Structures are given as C-alpha cells and as structure tokens.
Amino acid sequence: MGMNKTMITVSTIINAPVEKVWDYWTKPEHITQWNQASPDWHCPIATNDLMPEGKFVWRMEAKDGSFGFDFSGKYLEIAPQERIKSVMDDGRTIEISFEPQANGVKVTEVFEAESTNPIEMQQAGWQAILNNFKAYTESR
C-alpha cells in the first residue's frame, strides 16, 4: 500500500459553552438543522449512536431531490465535550476536538481526504458545514 494519506483540517471558534456545543454537534435534532454546506442542500435524517462502535448515518440531500448520499460510519473513541474519533464507511478517519477558549470553544476537524474531489473543494465543503454549525449554535 504505502500511500500517504492526505489529512485536511478545518476549524472555527464558537461563542457558546462547551456543553451546548457538544449537544448541538451530537444530537440528531440539531444535526439535521446545521449539517449542510449550502442552502440548496439539507440533512433530512440523522441517526447518531454516540458510543464506541456506535453507528452514525447523516443523510445529505439536495433539496430538489436530484442527488443525495449517506454520510455514515462508526465511532472509535468518544471523550465527552473533548474529542470524537470515527471512521467513515469508506475507511477514512475523522478526529474532532472541542477546546474551550476565552471566547468560546474551538472545534477542529481533521479528516482523511478522499481521492475524487480536489483537496481545496473538500476543505471548503467541510469548512462551510462547520461555519453553518457555528451560525446555528450561536443563534440559539
């Protein structure tokens, strides 16, 4: 094999307590509200079994119904309000950290790039979702 894995990092600071940030990141009723990269997409269904070996399936669909896919995988490690490690069904890993700061919580996602789309496009898409999460969490 010997392929070098390309890791992509996205992050943002959310002006909210870590308890709220964690809840909004992990509870399906919130995930369906923020989990889209652009206004013409949505996340109609999310299931989240937040425990080691637990599964997650977040349905991503274009609002016009033209395209959709499941963002899915399983959790490897969970440290509440600190860190989540998971692996997607295609074998790529994700690690998310929640770090309290003076002005809120820094949420950082480090994920393994896929080979279909350009790195910049993947980074922009994940950052857009993270920015949407920030806007949703701060507005409530």
Side-chain angles (χ1 to χ4, degrees):
M1 293 288 286
M3 283 175 58
N4 285 337
K5 294 178 177 175
T6 302
M7 303 304 288
I8 300 174
T9 301
V10 296
S11 69
T12 191
I13 293 178
I14 295 158
N15 187 0
V18 69
E19 298 80 7
K20 179 180 180 184
V21 172
W22 179 264
D23 278 355
Y24 278 42
W25 187 270
T26 56
K27 294 195 167 156
E29 64 268 28
H30 293 302
I31 295 166
T32 55
Q33 301 301 309
W34 59 259
N35 187 36
Q36 60 270 338
S38 63
D40 52 336
W41 278 71
H42 67 156
C43 178
I45 307 162
T47 56
N48 213 33
D49 187 11
L50 194 67
M51 54 184 277
E53 297 299 312
K55 291 278 297 172
F56 60 90
V57 182
W58 302 0
R59 182 69 189 165
M60 317 279 279
E61 287 181 1
K63 285 182 179 172
D64 65 5
S66 61
F67 188 72
F69 64 94
D70 287 339
F71 176 77
S72 56
K74 72 174 179 181
Y75 292 108
L76 302 174
E77 188 185 319
I78 292 162
Q81 298 175 16
E82 287 178 27
R83 191 176 62 256
I84 298 173
K85 285 185 179 176
S86 56
V87 58
M88 290 179 261
D89 286 338
D90 64 9
R92 295 185 295 135
T93 59
I94 312 170
E95 184 165 351
I96 306 158
S97 61
F98 300 81
E99 301 167 81
Q101 318 261 306
N103 56 343
V105 179
K106 184 177 186 186
V107 178
T108 304
E109 290 186 276
V110 180
F111 65 97
E112 210 175 308
E114 40 93 351
S115 53
T116 314
N117 295 299
I119 299 293
E120 297 74 23
M121 189 178 180
Q122 296 178 59
Q123 185 165 16
W126 284 58
Q127 185 70 53
I129 292 172
L130 194 53
N131 293 349
N132 215 34
F133 173 71
K134 171 182 168 74
Y136 172 76
T137 304
E138 289 179 350
S139 70
R140 278 163 178 76

